[in-house]
Amino acid sequence: MDLELTEDEKDIRQWVRTFVEKEIMPLEQDVLARERRGERGLPPEELKQLQDLARESGFFGVQTPEEYGGMGLSAVMAALVEVELGRSFVPFRFGGYADNILFHANDAQKEEYLVPTIEGTKKSCFAITEPGAGSDARAIRTSAKKDGEDWVVTGEKTFITGGTEADFVMVFAVTDAEKHKEGRTGESVTCFIVDRDQGWTSDQIDTMGEWGPAALTFDGVRVPSSSILGEEGKGFALAMQWIGRGRYLLPARALGGCERMVEMGMEWAHNRETFGKPIAERQAIQWMVADSAVDIEALRWLVLAAAWQVDRGRDSRQAQSMAKLYGGVRCNEIVDRMLQVHGGMGYTRELPLERWYRELRLLRIYEGTDEIQRRTIARNLLKGHASVRGHLG
């Protein structure tokens, strides 16, 4: 079993690490100051400048196929890139990204939506969650009814990432009410690509973190049949493909943040004295550091094991659910410990710890709650689809 990176993989990781340290981390105090004023931490123009700078060195479309101008990196390398990016809370990602289900578009749709999204001239959002349909995606009620050659979409979506900035939405709606009522979701839901100027509206939802999702309203929005992504009635499979596209990447990014926080905690513990000694010499602090280090190492291998399975074309859903669940729970424990190590300063908005505290809480909710991950893991085991002996058997 080879656990070493190739020289090329090491070079890629080192380039990202250097980029984060030299170009992203210096922005942190400005980002915190803006967010304290209620402004966007990283304005779009600054994000684009950073993305353009990275593209000059060939970093564009980390997992986007090379035929579309991307790097086409493996899942393992994508995870390692996310770890490095996660070492800063600045909301940066490399350009050249497009939702995986857009690659199912027909040629005309690819030209109108996929290519501009990769190039960054258009922004997309994915809309399946509704006020009454979160973890249970089968409960969606947004409908699309046929009217001549068109479809009329009516309904509401909520907690949609990027919904306030998106130029178009990939919205999922019930197109066969009878089949949907019978529970035949795989035949009753269709995905439509709908431009903003076709009539849907968005309103930002304020949250405890810096994530700014939106509520989308479709009030009889008329779209042509050519707007269907994939096949009529086959949208639910696309939705599940989008949701399962990389649950290992979310905990990978959180992993990088936890590494940085523990390093911050250790530095603080060496410098902070109580009763004549650095608190690093106190057993209570040492145990927090030790427990966090073990959690980080365990999460690292859960993430890499999931990514490894993705690269080999294996069914990685069990591994990804484990990485997502463990990452959500443990990363929240780690940030809580490191905030505790910093005491009152950790609770201020002068340091990024309280920001990470708010941000990491979301990891236990979006793209599959802890409860859904546990349900998936247990169901796979109890039905014999997975083994507690893992992929090695």
Side-chain angles (χ1 to χ4, degrees):
M1 182 178 293
D2 188 359
L3 301 180
E4 286 287 342
L5 299 178
T6 67
E7 290 304 313
D8 285 345
E9 290 170 336
K10 289 179 182 178
D11 288 343
I12 291 172
R13 185 181 64 175
Q14 186 57 49
W15 190 93
V16 178
R17 184 171 293 176
T18 301
F19 183 81
V20 170
E21 291 174 352
K22 290 188 174 181
E23 304 295 340
I24 297 179
M25 286 184 179
L27 301 175
E28 290 181 345
Q29 289 306 310
D30 287 341
V31 168
L32 286 176
R34 288 177 185 140
E35 289 178 350
R36 287 196 295 270
R37 295 194 298 266
E39 302 170 5
R40 178 174 294 186
L42 187 65
E45 59 274 14
E46 289 191 21
L47 172 61
K48 188 176 187 306
Q49 288 172 5
L50 287 170
Q51 290 176 334
D52 289 345
L53 180 63
R55 188 172 188 177
E56 291 173 6
S57 297
F59 273 80
F60 180 80
V62 171
Q63 285 189 289
T64 299
E66 293 182 15
E67 64 184 288
Y68 291 99
M71 301 175 72
L73 294 185
S74 68
V76 167
M77 279 312 305
L80 292 174
V81 166
E82 285 298 306
V83 172
E84 297 304 321
L85 292 178
R87 290 179 60 81
S88 176
F89 58 85
V90 175
F92 171 83
R93 73 177 184 186
F94 292 113
Y97 167 85
D99 298 274
N100 59 336
I101 61 175
L102 272 179
F103 289 93
H104 290 279
N106 59 40
D107 290 342
Q109 291 171 334
K110 285 180 178 178
E111 183 177 350
E112 186 172 0
Y113 297 104
L114 174 62
V115 174
T117 300
I118 291 173
E119 287 298 322
T121 56
K122 281 189 177 182
K123 295 180 180 179
S124 67
C125 67
F126 170 92
I128 190 169
T129 301
E130 298 182 3
S135 296
D136 183 8
R138 291 178 173 83
I140 66 172
R141 292 292 178 265
T142 295
S143 67
K145 296 182 178 180
K146 196 73 179 289
D147 184 16
E149 295 300 313
D150 296 339
W151 293 85
V152 179
V153 182
T154 302
E156 182 181 356
K157 300 293 182 179
T158 192
F159 296 123
I160 307 304
T161 300
T164 55
E165 303 91 18
D167 299 298
F168 68 93
V169 59
M170 293 165 289
V171 61
F172 293 81
V174 176
T175 48
D176 191 319
E178 289 304 314
K179 289 181 179 179
H180 197 65
K181 188 182 299 183
E182 295 170 2
R184 297 159 64 183
T185 316
E187 305 171 60
S188 65
V189 175
T190 302
C191 179
F192 295 88
I193 300 177
V194 188
D195 291 310
R196 182 180 289 272
D197 61 14
Q198 288 178 284
W200 59 270
T201 59
S202 62
D203 294 290
Q204 182 166 319
I205 300 171
D206 291 328
T207 65
M208 67 181 283
E210 303 307 320
W211 177 50
L216 310 186
T217 301
F218 298 82
D219 187 8
V221 176
R222 182 175 290 271
V223 296
S225 294
S226 59
S227 295
I228 293 176
L229 177 62
E231 300 178 49
E232 180 184 336
K234 304 298 183 182
F236 194 73
L238 286 179
M240 294 303 101
Q241 183 177 332
W242 187 95
I243 291 171
R245 75 193 183 285
R247 280 177 169 164
Y248 63 96
L249 294 176
L250 294 173
R253 194 165 188 121
L255 170 62
C258 288
E259 290 178 349
R260 173 98 179 275
M261 283 184 277
V262 173
E263 291 170 354
M264 291 172 59
M266 291 190 294
E267 181 180 3
W268 179 270
H270 282 302
N271 295 321
R272 174 67 168 169
E273 291 189 1
T274 60
F275 307 105
K277 290 184 179 181
I279 62 173
E281 297 184 22
R282 308 297 182 187
Q283 187 181 67
I285 303 301
Q286 293 171 357
W287 283 16
M288 290 186 197
V289 171
D291 288 344
S292 298
V294 172
D295 289 340
I296 286 172
E297 193 66 10
L299 178 58
R300 188 187 330 279
W301 293 109
L302 281 171
V303 165
L304 292 176
W308 180 87
Q309 290 184 40
V310 170
D311 282 335
R312 279 150 185 78
R314 300 190 180 190
D315 185 345
S316 63
R317 288 175 293 181
Q318 184 81 343
Q320 292 200 49
S321 286
M322 286 183 169
K324 173 72 165 56
L325 172 63
Y326 190 86
V329 173
R330 296 305 184 206
C331 288
N332 273 273
E333 292 179 354
I334 290 170
V335 68
D336 187 74
R337 292 176 193 139
M338 293 305 108
L339 193 151
Q340 188 74 13
V341 168
H342 282 79
M345 276 303 297
Y347 192 64
T348 70
R349 300 190 73 180
E350 297 299 316
L351 297 180
L353 288 165
E354 70 83 31
R355 187 197 188 282
W356 259 313
Y357 197 101
R358 289 181 287 118
E359 182 174 296
L360 285 171
R361 188 59 184 82
L362 181 61
L363 186 58
R364 296 183 58 196
I365 299 173
Y366 71 165
E367 293 201 31
T369 64
D370 289 355
E371 293 72 25
I372 287 296
Q373 305 308 333
R374 289 188 174 100
R375 173 179 177 267
T376 297
I377 294 166
R379 182 179 57 190
N380 288 340
L381 289 169
L382 292 169
K383 290 188 174 183
H385 301 317
S387 168
V388 292
R389 297 180 181 180
H391 71 272
L392 295 179

